[in-house]
Amino acid sequence: GENVEQHPSTLSVQEGDSAVIKCTYSDSASNYFPWYKQELGKRPQLIIDIRSNVGEKKDQRIAVTLNKTAKHFSLHITETQPEDSAVYFCAARTGGSNYKLTFGKGTLLTVNP
Amino acid sequence: DGGITQSPKYLFRKEGQNVTLSCEQNLNHDAMYWYRQDPGQGLRLIYYSQIVNDFQKGDIAEGYSVSREKKESFPLTVTSAQKNPTAFYLCASSIVAGFQYEQYFGPGTRLTVT
């Protein structure tokens, strides 16, 4: 089955700096890669996603890049703010008829004011 | 925040007892999922169902059981066979159509077994 590795497990940045979280996946048939943000005690919420036919996608201060050849994708957050502090999860969906996602282990991002 | 509800928010049980966690959605989604979340372990899939009366095991199904008798409901039973049941349990749902893969999560149930 699919295996998703996520790095780093913790990341601390100063407010205003950029943050980058990287994920690799094992199944070359995977075609959908979402990123979820989970604040303490809350449910995970989708912040951005990318499909395998696209190399990059941006939404204001966040962007995701995908390298299908290397089987890795990354989340980029620019001009970080304290409210960006949360756990971020990447995931991958393997192609086929099932719609399940395989998640990475998460990155705890701390933005220091 | 609407659409998927889980109850209760906190649940306490004694070892050896079965316990059922509730998950209901009014999003008209076909698929529903149960995840277990432990610190540093991410979200691990327990069971999922893409249609009523059908479900599949995820990566860590041992010690758990589910049913899907209605589209809106996907209860999870944590049985006494689950060796380490204390965890945060998340339910999610998604549509099953075309290229729409986003999963929507419920607020979670924190289960403590002593």
Side-chain angles (χ1 to χ4, degrees):
Chain A
E2 175 65 280
N3 182 49
V4 177
E5 300 276 347
Q6 183 172 347
H7 299 280
S9 56
T10 61
L11 180 60
S12 181
V13 299
Q14 290 299 121
E15 184 177 357
D17 287 350
S18 295
V20 180
I21 302 170
K22 299 182 179 182
C23 289
T24 60
Y25 60 98
S26 60
D27 191 336
S28 57
S30 290
N31 61 2
Y32 172 70
F33 308 91
W35 285 89
Y36 284 81
K37 175 183 180 182
Q38 185 180 29
E39 297 176 1
L40 188 62
K42 301 284 184 65
R43 71 187 79 193
Q45 294 198 303
L46 180 73
I47 56 171
I48 196 167
D49 56 14
I50 192 168
R51 300 174 194 280
S52 57
N53 58 346
V54 176
E56 183 175 4
K57 184 176 179 181
K58 289 183 181 178
D59 184 2
Q60 300 183 340
R61 295 186 298 107
I62 60 173
V64 57
T65 58
L66 171 66
N67 183 327
K68 281 170 38 181
T69 303
K71 289 190 282 188
H72 68 71
F73 57 111
S74 300
L75 177 71
H76 304 254
I77 306 174
T78 58
E79 299 173 19
T80 54
Q81 302 167 2
E83 50 265 38
D84 294 330
S85 296
V87 178
Y88 292 81
F89 293 99
C90 62
R93 177 199 171 262
T94 302
S97 61
N98 78 67
Y99 280 64
K100 65 176 184 174
L101 299 174
T102 300
F103 284 83
K105 293 188 175 181
T107 296
L108 173 60
L109 173 65
T110 303
V111 180
N112 302 298
Chain B
D1 266 8
I4 303 179
T5 57
Q6 291 184 243
S7 60
K9 187 172 183 178
Y10 298 97
L11 192 52
F12 299 89
R13 280 294 183 270
K14 293 290 187 185
E15 205 172 299
Q17 294 179 335
N18 290 354
V19 58
T20 298
L21 281 59
S22 166
C23 178
E24 304 277 333
Q25 54 97 3
N26 62 3
L27 300 169
N28 199 33
H29 285 173
D30 295 297
M32 297 186 74
Y33 313 81
W34 273 106
Y35 294 92
R36 171 180 172 139
Q37 187 173 23
D38 298 283
Q41 293 296 316
L43 302 173
R44 293 184 290 170
L45 183 64
I46 304 172
Y47 269 98
Y48 66 104
S49 167
Q50 295 193 172
I51 194 170
V52 173
N53 292 321
D54 188 47
F55 48 82
Q56 281 76 45
K57 292 181 179 180
D59 301 316
I60 56 164
E62 185 174 348
Y64 299 98
S65 66
V66 293
S67 62
R68 186 87 186 277
E69 296 177 2
K70 298 187 301 181
K71 188 176 184 179
E72 303 79 19
S73 178
F74 192 40
L76 173 74
T77 297
V78 185
T79 75
S80 56
Q82 168 49 235
K83 295 189 186 334
N84 186 17
T86 295
F88 188 51
Y89 291 88
L90 285 160
C91 178
S93 70
S94 72
I95 64 174
V96 177
F99 301 105
Q100 303 298 318
Y101 307 129
E102 179 179 356
Q103 291 187 13
Y104 296 81
F105 285 85
T109 292
R110 189 166 297 279
L111 173 65
T112 302
V113 177
T114 57

mmCIF file of all heavy atoms in Angstrom, chain A residues 49-94:
data_model
loop_
_atom_site.group_PDB
_atom_site.id
_atom_site.type_symbol
_atom_site.label_atom_id
_atom_site.label_comp_id
_atom_site.label_asym_id
_atom_site.label_seq_id
_atom_site.Cartn_x
_atom_site.Cartn_y
_atom_site.Cartn_z
ATOM 1 N N ASP A 49 -4.760 21.680 -1.728
ATOM 2 C CA ASP A 49 -4.524 20.359 -2.295
ATOM 3 C C ASP A 49 -4.013 20.515 -3.723
ATOM 4 O O ASP A 49 -4.108 21.594 -4.321
ATOM 5 C CB ASP A 49 -5.788 19.491 -2.256
ATOM 6 C CG ASP A 49 -6.992 20.139 -2.946
ATOM 7 O OD1 ASP A 49 -6.816 21.129 -3.696
ATOM 8 O OD2 ASP A 49 -8.117 19.667 -2.721
ATOM 9 N N ILE A 50 -3.433 19.444 -4.239
ATOM 10 C CA ILE A 50 -2.902 19.480 -5.596
ATOM 11 C C ILE A 50 -3.123 18.133 -6.245
ATOM 12 O O ILE A 50 -3.090 17.094 -5.575
ATOM 13 C CB ILE A 50 -1.394 19.882 -5.596
ATOM 14 C CG1 ILE A 50 -0.923 20.212 -7.005
ATOM 15 C CG2 ILE A 50 -0.539 18.794 -4.952
ATOM 16 C CD1 ILE A 50 0.440 20.887 -7.047
ATOM 17 N N ARG A 51 -3.391 18.145 -7.523
ATOM 18 C CA ARG A 51 -3.591 16.913 -8.267
ATOM 19 C C ARG A 51 -2.361 16.622 -9.105
ATOM 20 O O ARG A 51 -1.551 17.511 -9.371
ATOM 21 C CB ARG A 51 -4.846 17.028 -9.133
ATOM 22 C CG ARG A 51 -6.068 17.269 -8.284
ATOM 23 C CD ARG A 51 -7.327 17.534 -9.078
ATOM 24 N NE ARG A 51 -8.360 18.085 -8.212
ATOM 25 C CZ ARG A 51 -9.120 17.360 -7.406
ATOM 26 N NH1 ARG A 51 -8.963 16.047 -7.374
ATOM 27 N NH2 ARG A 51 -10.018 17.942 -6.630
ATOM 28 N N SER A 52 -2.272 15.389 -9.556
ATOM 29 C CA SER A 52 -1.024 14.942 -10.171
ATOM 30 C C SER A 52 -0.758 15.579 -11.528
ATOM 31 O O SER A 52 0.347 15.478 -12.054
ATOM 32 C CB SER A 52 -1.024 13.417 -10.313
ATOM 33 O OG SER A 52 -2.136 12.992 -11.070
ATOM 34 N N ASN A 53 -1.727 16.248 -12.094
ATOM 35 C CA ASN A 53 -1.500 16.879 -13.407
ATOM 36 C C ASN A 53 -1.055 18.340 -13.277
ATOM 37 O O ASN A 53 -0.969 19.063 -14.275
ATOM 38 C CB ASN A 53 -2.774 16.800 -14.254
ATOM 39 C CG ASN A 53 -3.958 17.471 -13.589
ATOM 40 O OD1 ASN A 53 -3.929 17.779 -12.410
ATOM 41 N ND2 ASN A 53 -5.015 17.709 -14.348
ATOM 42 N N VAL A 54 -0.780 18.756 -12.030
ATOM 43 C CA VAL A 54 -0.374 20.129 -11.763
ATOM 44 C C VAL A 54 0.931 20.121 -10.975
ATOM 45 O O VAL A 54 1.117 19.272 -10.107
ATOM 46 C CB VAL A 54 -1.470 20.862 -10.954
ATOM 47 C CG1 VAL A 54 -1.028 22.266 -10.567
ATOM 48 C CG2 VAL A 54 -2.766 20.900 -11.744
ATOM 49 N N GLY A 55 1.838 21.067 -11.266
ATOM 50 C CA GLY A 55 3.119 21.088 -10.564
ATOM 51 C C GLY A 55 3.147 22.002 -9.357
ATOM 52 O O GLY A 55 3.923 21.789 -8.432
ATOM 53 N N GLU A 56 2.287 23.040 -9.372
ATOM 54 C CA GLU A 56 2.307 24.002 -8.278
ATOM 55 C C GLU A 56 0.925 24.634 -8.160
ATOM 56 O O GLU A 56 0.227 24.845 -9.150
ATOM 57 C CB GLU A 56 3.353 25.085 -8.537
ATOM 58 C CG GLU A 56 3.505 26.086 -7.411
ATOM 59 C CD GLU A 56 4.630 27.087 -7.650
ATOM 60 O OE1 GLU A 56 5.242 27.055 -8.732
ATOM 61 O OE2 GLU A 56 4.892 27.890 -6.743
ATOM 62 N N LYS A 57 0.572 24.966 -6.926
ATOM 63 C CA LYS A 57 -0.696 25.649 -6.682
ATOM 64 C C LYS A 57 -0.500 26.616 -5.527
ATOM 65 O O LYS A 57 0.159 26.280 -4.546
ATOM 66 C CB LYS A 57 -1.780 24.612 -6.335
ATOM 67 C CG LYS A 57 -3.168 25.184 -6.143
ATOM 68 C CD LYS A 57 -4.153 24.039 -5.895
ATOM 69 C CE LYS A 57 -5.554 24.543 -5.671
ATOM 70 N NZ LYS A 57 -6.490 23.411 -5.398
ATOM 71 N N LYS A 58 -1.052 27.827 -5.676
ATOM 72 C CA LYS A 58 -0.904 28.850 -4.629
ATOM 73 C C LYS A 58 -2.262 29.339 -4.165
ATOM 74 O O LYS A 58 -3.218 29.404 -4.936
ATOM 75 C CB LYS A 58 -0.110 30.037 -5.172
ATOM 76 C CG LYS A 58 1.360 29.773 -5.407
ATOM 77 C CD LYS A 58 2.055 31.046 -5.881
ATOM 78 C CE LYS A 58 3.531 30.801 -6.146
ATOM 79 N NZ LYS A 58 4.219 32.006 -6.641
ATOM 80 N N ASP A 59 -2.302 29.709 -2.893
ATOM 81 C CA ASP A 59 -3.489 30.330 -2.327
ATOM 82 C C ASP A 59 -3.013 31.308 -1.266
ATOM 83 O O ASP A 59 -2.735 30.932 -0.139
ATOM 84 C CB ASP A 59 -4.420 29.281 -1.716
ATOM 85 C CG ASP A 59 -5.718 29.892 -1.189
ATOM 86 O OD1 ASP A 59 -5.908 31.115 -1.324
ATOM 87 O OD2 ASP A 59 -6.544 29.138 -0.636
ATOM 88 N N GLN A 60 -2.882 32.544 -1.662
ATOM 89 C CA GLN A 60 -2.407 33.616 -0.789
ATOM 90 C C GLN A 60 -1.025 33.277 -0.242
ATOM 91 O O GLN A 60 -0.065 33.186 -1.011
ATOM 92 C CB GLN A 60 -3.434 33.898 0.314
ATOM 93 C CG GLN A 60 -4.782 34.317 -0.250
ATOM 94 C CD GLN A 60 -5.798 34.662 0.823
ATOM 95 O OE1 GLN A 60 -5.685 34.275 1.981
ATOM 96 N NE2 GLN A 60 -6.816 35.417 0.451
ATOM 97 N N ARG A 61 -0.890 33.038 1.048
ATOM 98 C CA ARG A 61 0.441 32.811 1.626
ATOM 99 C C ARG A 61 0.885 31.348 1.591
ATOM 100 O O ARG A 61 1.988 31.029 2.022
ATOM 101 C CB ARG A 61 0.471 33.298 3.083
ATOM 102 C CG ARG A 61 0.287 34.790 3.261
ATOM 103 C CD ARG A 61 0.479 35.212 4.707
ATOM 104 N NE ARG A 61 -0.503 34.592 5.596
ATOM 105 C CZ ARG A 61 -0.220 33.605 6.464
ATOM 106 N NH1 ARG A 61 1.002 33.126 6.568
ATOM 107 N NH2 ARG A 61 -1.162 33.115 7.247
ATOM 108 N N ILE A 62 0.046 30.487 1.124
ATOM 109 C CA ILE A 62 0.433 29.076 1.099
ATOM 110 C C ILE A 62 0.528 28.580 -0.342
ATOM 111 O O ILE A 62 -0.186 29.054 -1.232
ATOM 112 C CB ILE A 62 -0.535 28.186 1.912
ATOM 113 C CG1 ILE A 62 -1.953 28.277 1.368
ATOM 114 C CG2 ILE A 62 -0.509 28.557 3.384
ATOM 115 C CD1 ILE A 62 -2.904 27.297 2.034
ATOM 116 N N ALA A 63 1.426 27.639 -0.549
ATOM 117 C CA ALA A 63 1.614 27.049 -1.862
ATOM 118 C C ALA A 63 2.016 25.595 -1.677
ATOM 119 O O ALA A 63 2.585 25.209 -0.645
ATOM 120 C CB ALA A 63 2.685 27.798 -2.648
ATOM 121 N N VAL A 64 1.705 24.808 -2.660
ATOM 122 C CA VAL A 64 2.124 23.412 -2.663
ATOM 123 C C VAL A 64 2.792 23.127 -3.995
ATOM 124 O O VAL A 64 2.339 23.600 -5.040
ATOM 125 C CB VAL A 64 0.939 22.455 -2.398
ATOM 126 C CG1 VAL A 64 -0.165 22.649 -3.411
ATOM 127 C CG2 VAL A 64 1.400 21.019 -2.353
ATOM 128 N N THR A 65 3.907 22.398 -3.959
ATOM 129 C CA THR A 65 4.590 21.978 -5.173
ATOM 130 C C THR A 65 4.624 20.457 -5.211
ATOM 131 O O THR A 65 4.665 19.791 -4.178
ATOM 132 C CB THR A 65 6.029 22.521 -5.212
ATOM 133 O OG1 THR A 65 6.735 22.061 -4.053
ATOM 134 C CG2 THR A 65 6.037 24.044 -5.236
ATOM 135 N N LEU A 66 4.593 19.912 -6.397
ATOM 136 C CA LEU A 66 4.589 18.466 -6.596
ATOM 137 C C LEU A 66 5.635 18.094 -7.622
ATOM 138 O O LEU A 66 5.670 18.671 -8.721
ATOM 139 C CB LEU A 66 3.199 18.002 -7.057
ATOM 140 C CG LEU A 66 3.075 16.549 -7.512
ATOM 141 C CD1 LEU A 66 3.309 15.595 -6.341
ATOM 142 C CD2 LEU A 66 1.702 16.303 -8.140
ATOM 143 N N ASN A 67 6.458 17.120 -7.278
ATOM 144 C CA ASN A 67 7.428 16.557 -8.202
ATOM 145 C C ASN A 67 7.086 15.080 -8.372
ATOM 146 O O ASN A 67 7.435 14.252 -7.528
ATOM 147 C CB ASN A 67 8.852 16.738 -7.657
ATOM 148 C CG ASN A 67 9.915 16.239 -8.616
ATOM 149 O OD1 ASN A 67 9.710 15.276 -9.352
ATOM 150 N ND2 ASN A 67 11.060 16.888 -8.616
ATOM 151 N N LYS A 68 6.394 14.761 -9.442
ATOM 152 C CA LYS A 68 5.931 13.388 -9.635
ATOM 153 C C LYS A 68 7.080 12.420 -9.882
ATOM 154 O O LYS A 68 7.040 11.263 -9.472
ATOM 155 C CB LYS A 68 4.959 13.327 -10.803
ATOM 156 C CG LYS A 68 3.572 13.783 -10.447
ATOM 157 C CD LYS A 68 2.653 13.948 -11.628
ATOM 158 C CE LYS A 68 2.790 12.934 -12.707
ATOM 159 N NZ LYS A 68 1.880 13.163 -13.840
ATOM 160 N N THR A 69 8.102 12.902 -10.553
ATOM 161 C CA THR A 69 9.242 12.034 -10.859
ATOM 162 C C THR A 69 9.927 11.573 -9.584
ATOM 163 O O THR A 69 10.240 10.397 -9.412
ATOM 164 C CB THR A 69 10.252 12.762 -11.757
ATOM 165 O OG1 THR A 69 9.584 13.191 -12.947
ATOM 166 C CG2 THR A 69 11.415 11.856 -12.109
ATOM 167 N N ALA A 70 10.133 12.525 -8.682
ATOM 168 C CA ALA A 70 10.792 12.209 -7.418
ATOM 169 C C ALA A 70 9.812 11.716 -6.364
ATOM 170 O O ALA A 70 10.220 11.301 -5.276
ATOM 171 C CB ALA A 70 11.528 13.442 -6.905
ATOM 172 N N LYS A 71 8.526 11.795 -6.641
ATOM 173 C CA LYS A 71 7.466 11.388 -5.715
ATOM 174 C C LYS A 71 7.567 12.151 -4.404
ATOM 175 O O LYS A 71 7.587 11.561 -3.306
ATOM 176 C CB LYS A 71 7.479 9.871 -5.496
ATOM 177 C CG LYS A 71 7.011 9.103 -6.732
ATOM 178 C CD LYS A 71 6.783 7.620 -6.476
ATOM 179 C CE LYS A 71 8.077 6.885 -6.433
ATOM 180 N NZ LYS A 71 7.931 5.427 -6.371
ATOM 181 N N HIS A 72 7.651 13.469 -4.514
ATOM 182 C CA HIS A 72 7.568 14.276 -3.311
ATOM 183 C C HIS A 72 6.799 15.553 -3.561
ATOM 184 O O HIS A 72 6.686 16.030 -4.688
ATOM 185 C CB HIS A 72 8.934 14.517 -2.656
ATOM 186 C CG HIS A 72 9.872 15.372 -3.427
ATOM 187 N ND1 HIS A 72 9.699 16.736 -3.592
ATOM 188 C CD2 HIS A 72 11.030 15.073 -4.046
ATOM 189 C CE1 HIS A 72 10.703 17.216 -4.289
ATOM 190 N NE2 HIS A 72 11.515 16.241 -4.574
ATOM 191 N N PHE A 73 6.218 16.067 -2.504
ATOM 192 C CA PHE A 73 5.447 17.304 -2.555
ATOM 193 C C PHE A 73 5.706 18.098 -1.279
ATOM 194 O O PHE A 73 6.059 17.524 -0.246
ATOM 195 C CB PHE A 73 3.961 17.046 -2.794
ATOM 196 C CG PHE A 73 3.288 16.142 -1.802
ATOM 197 C CD1 PHE A 73 2.336 16.647 -0.918
ATOM 198 C CD2 PHE A 73 3.552 14.776 -1.765
ATOM 199 C CE1 PHE A 73 1.686 15.823 -0.020
ATOM 200 C CE2 PHE A 73 2.899 13.948 -0.868
ATOM 201 C CZ PHE A 73 1.968 14.475 0.007
ATOM 202 N N SER A 74 5.573 19.397 -1.387
ATOM 203 C CA SER A 74 5.955 20.270 -0.280
ATOM 204 C C SER A 74 4.913 21.355 -0.060
ATOM 205 O O SER A 74 4.266 21.816 -1.004
ATOM 206 C CB SER A 74 7.307 20.936 -0.562
ATOM 207 O OG SER A 74 8.329 19.985 -0.735
ATOM 208 N N LEU A 75 4.801 21.759 1.188
ATOM 209 C CA LEU A 75 3.944 22.882 1.584
ATOM 210 C C LEU A 75 4.838 24.062 1.928
ATOM 211 O O LEU A 75 5.798 23.911 2.693
ATOM 212 C CB LEU A 75 3.087 22.502 2.792
ATOM 213 C CG LEU A 75 2.191 23.616 3.351
ATOM 214 C CD1 LEU A 75 1.047 23.912 2.391
ATOM 215 C CD2 LEU A 75 1.652 23.230 4.726
ATOM 216 N N HIS A 76 4.533 25.219 1.357
ATOM 217 C CA HIS A 76 5.300 26.427 1.607
ATOM 218 C C HIS A 76 4.358 27.469 2.213
ATOM 219 O O HIS A 76 3.311 27.768 1.628
ATOM 220 C CB HIS A 76 5.881 26.978 0.304
ATOM 221 C CG HIS A 76 6.729 25.994 -0.444
ATOM 222 N ND1 HIS A 76 8.100 26.074 -0.489
ATOM 223 C CD2 HIS A 76 6.398 24.900 -1.172
ATOM 224 C CE1 HIS A 76 8.578 25.074 -1.225
ATOM 225 N NE2 HIS A 76 7.553 24.346 -1.647
ATOM 226 N N ILE A 77 4.751 27.989 3.363
ATOM 227 C CA ILE A 77 3.983 29.070 3.983
ATOM 228 C C ILE A 77 4.896 30.282 4.073
ATOM 229 O O ILE A 77 5.979 30.209 4.667
ATOM 230 C CB ILE A 77 3.492 28.692 5.399
ATOM 231 C CG1 ILE A 77 2.709 27.370 5.370
ATOM 232 C CG2 ILE A 77 2.614 29.806 5.971
ATOM 233 C CD1 ILE A 77 2.313 26.858 6.747
ATOM 234 N N THR A 78 4.503 31.380 3.461
ATOM 235 C CA THR A 78 5.312 32.605 3.511
ATOM 236 C C THR A 78 4.719 33.567 4.537
ATOM 237 O O THR A 78 3.552 33.453 4.933
ATOM 238 C CB THR A 78 5.350 33.286 2.141
ATOM 239 O OG1 THR A 78 4.008 33.587 1.735
ATOM 240 C CG2 THR A 78 5.998 32.387 1.093
ATOM 241 N N GLU A 79 5.560 34.497 4.975
ATOM 242 C CA GLU A 79 5.144 35.542 5.933
ATOM 243 C C GLU A 79 4.349 34.934 7.079
ATOM 244 O O GLU A 79 3.212 35.333 7.353
ATOM 245 C CB GLU A 79 4.317 36.607 5.196
ATOM 246 C CG GLU A 79 5.092 37.293 4.081
ATOM 247 C CD GLU A 79 4.185 38.213 3.251
ATOM 248 O OE1 GLU A 79 3.104 38.579 3.728
ATOM 249 O OE2 GLU A 79 4.576 38.540 2.123
ATOM 250 N N THR A 80 4.946 33.967 7.746
ATOM 251 C CA THR A 80 4.227 33.239 8.786
ATOM 252 C C THR A 80 3.737 34.157 9.902
ATOM 253 O O THR A 80 4.364 35.174 10.237
ATOM 254 C CB THR A 80 5.101 32.139 9.397
ATOM 255 O OG1 THR A 80 6.336 32.715 9.841
ATOM 256 C CG2 THR A 80 5.371 31.035 8.395
ATOM 257 N N GLN A 81 2.593 33.766 10.471
ATOM 258 C CA GLN A 81 1.967 34.510 11.558
ATOM 259 C C GLN A 81 1.726 33.562 12.728
ATOM 260 O O GLN A 81 1.636 32.343 12.512
ATOM 261 C CB GLN A 81 0.646 35.107 11.063
ATOM 262 C CG GLN A 81 0.816 36.017 9.866
ATOM 263 C CD GLN A 81 -0.498 36.355 9.173
ATOM 264 O OE1 GLN A 81 -1.571 35.936 9.602
ATOM 265 N NE2 GLN A 81 -0.409 37.135 8.098
ATOM 266 N N PRO A 82 1.616 34.062 13.939
ATOM 267 C CA PRO A 82 1.386 33.170 15.091
ATOM 268 C C PRO A 82 0.183 32.247 14.900
ATOM 269 O O PRO A 82 0.206 31.101 15.363
ATOM 270 C CB PRO A 82 1.171 34.159 16.239
ATOM 271 C CG PRO A 82 1.986 35.354 15.854
ATOM 272 C CD PRO A 82 1.833 35.455 14.352
ATOM 273 N N GLU A 83 -0.848 32.703 14.199
ATOM 274 C CA GLU A 83 -2.024 31.854 13.990
ATOM 275 C C GLU A 83 -1.777 30.715 13.010
ATOM 276 O O GLU A 83 -2.637 29.849 12.828
ATOM 277 C CB GLU A 83 -3.231 32.685 13.531
ATOM 278 C CG GLU A 83 -2.944 33.603 12.366
ATOM 279 C CD GLU A 83 -2.581 35.013 12.793
ATOM 280 O OE1 GLU A 83 -1.859 35.180 13.823
ATOM 281 O OE2 GLU A 83 -3.016 35.954 12.099
ATOM 282 N N ASP A 84 -0.599 30.694 12.384
ATOM 283 C CA ASP A 84 -0.228 29.548 11.551
ATOM 284 C C ASP A 84 0.265 28.382 12.412
ATOM 285 O O ASP A 84 0.430 27.264 11.911
ATOM 286 C CB ASP A 84 0.875 29.929 10.554
ATOM 287 C CG ASP A 84 0.410 30.929 9.519
ATOM 288 O OD1 ASP A 84 -0.797 30.919 9.168
ATOM 289 O OD2 ASP A 84 1.246 31.737 9.058
ATOM 290 N N SER A 85 0.509 28.622 13.686
ATOM 291 C CA SER A 85 0.974 27.568 14.589
ATOM 292 C C SER A 85 -0.093 26.478 14.682
ATOM 293 O O SER A 85 -1.246 26.743 15.021
ATOM 294 C CB SER A 85 1.266 28.136 15.971
ATOM 295 O OG SER A 85 2.325 29.069 15.917
ATOM 296 N N ALA A 86 0.302 25.243 14.354
ATOM 297 C CA ALA A 86 -0.631 24.114 14.316
ATOM 298 C C ALA A 86 0.159 22.875 13.899
ATOM 299 O O ALA A 86 1.356 22.941 13.626
ATOM 300 C CB ALA A 86 -1.758 24.371 13.312
ATOM 301 N N VAL A 87 -0.541 21.754 13.829
ATOM 302 C CA VAL A 87 0.036 20.545 13.239
ATOM 303 C C VAL A 87 -0.461 20.455 11.798
ATOM 304 O O VAL A 87 -1.661 20.620 11.537
ATOM 305 C CB VAL A 87 -0.357 19.275 14.013
ATOM 306 C CG1 VAL A 87 0.216 18.035 13.331
ATOM 307 C CG2 VAL A 87 0.141 19.356 15.456
ATOM 308 N N TYR A 88 0.457 20.216 10.885
ATOM 309 C CA TYR A 88 0.131 20.100 9.476
ATOM 310 C C TYR A 88 0.351 18.657 9.019
ATOM 311 O O TYR A 88 1.374 18.049 9.323
ATOM 312 C CB TYR A 88 0.998 21.050 8.643
ATOM 313 C CG TYR A 88 0.668 22.496 8.890
ATOM 314 C CD1 TYR A 88 1.164 23.177 10.001
ATOM 315 C CD2 TYR A 88 -0.180 23.200 8.021
ATOM 316 C CE1 TYR A 88 0.838 24.495 10.248
ATOM 317 C CE2 TYR A 88 -0.500 24.523 8.257
ATOM 318 C CZ TYR A 88 0.007 25.150 9.367
ATOM 319 O OH TYR A 88 -0.317 26.475 9.610
ATOM 320 N N PHE A 89 -0.635 18.132 8.304
ATOM 321 C CA PHE A 89 -0.556 16.765 7.780
ATOM 322 C C PHE A 89 -0.610 16.791 6.262
ATOM 323 O O PHE A 89 -1.458 17.465 5.676
ATOM 324 C CB PHE A 89 -1.739 15.916 8.267
ATOM 325 C CG PHE A 89 -1.750 15.652 9.735
ATOM 326 C CD1 PHE A 89 -2.555 16.407 10.570
ATOM 327 C CD2 PHE A 89 -0.983 14.644 10.280
ATOM 328 C CE1 PHE A 89 -2.586 16.167 11.936
ATOM 329 C CE2 PHE A 89 -1.003 14.393 11.646
ATOM 330 C CZ PHE A 89 -1.807 15.161 12.467
ATOM 331 N N CYS A 90 0.280 16.018 5.636
ATOM 332 C CA CYS A 90 0.146 15.784 4.210
ATOM 333 C C CYS A 90 -0.535 14.425 4.022
ATOM 334 O O CYS A 90 -0.595 13.612 4.944
ATOM 335 C CB CYS A 90 1.501 15.783 3.520
ATOM 336 S SG CYS A 90 2.631 14.481 4.070
ATOM 337 N N ALA A 91 -1.054 14.189 2.850
ATOM 338 C CA ALA A 91 -1.706 12.917 2.552
ATOM 339 C C ALA A 91 -1.615 12.644 1.062
ATOM 340 O O ALA A 91 -1.346 13.547 0.259
ATOM 341 C CB ALA A 91 -3.166 12.929 3.018
ATOM 342 N N ALA A 92 -1.847 11.398 0.718
ATOM 343 C CA ALA A 92 -1.847 11.006 -0.687
ATOM 344 C C ALA A 92 -2.979 10.024 -0.940
ATOM 345 O O ALA A 92 -3.309 9.205 -0.078
ATOM 346 C CB ALA A 92 -0.513 10.365 -1.059
ATOM 347 N N ARG A 93 -3.576 10.130 -2.096
ATOM 348 C CA ARG A 93 -4.610 9.198 -2.513
ATOM 349 C C ARG A 93 -4.096 8.383 -3.682
ATOM 350 O O ARG A 93 -3.699 8.937 -4.702
ATOM 351 C CB ARG A 93 -5.885 9.910 -2.933
ATOM 352 C CG ARG A 93 -6.939 8.922 -3.441
ATOM 353 C CD ARG A 93 -8.000 9.595 -4.281
ATOM 354 N NE ARG A 93 -8.860 8.587 -4.911
ATOM 355 C CZ ARG A 93 -8.723 8.157 -6.164
ATOM 356 N NH1 ARG A 93 -7.802 8.675 -6.943
ATOM 357 N NH2 ARG A 93 -9.532 7.237 -6.647
ATOM 358 N N THR A 94 -4.121 7.073 -3.509
ATOM 359 C CA THR A 94 -3.715 6.199 -4.595
ATOM 360 C C THR A 94 -4.840 6.116 -5.609
ATOM 361 O O THR A 94 -6.004 6.111 -5.255
ATOM 362 C CB THR A 94 -3.382 4.805 -4.044
ATOM 363 O OG1 THR A 94 -2.357 4.942 -3.064
ATOM 364 C CG2 THR A 94 -2.911 3.883 -5.144
#
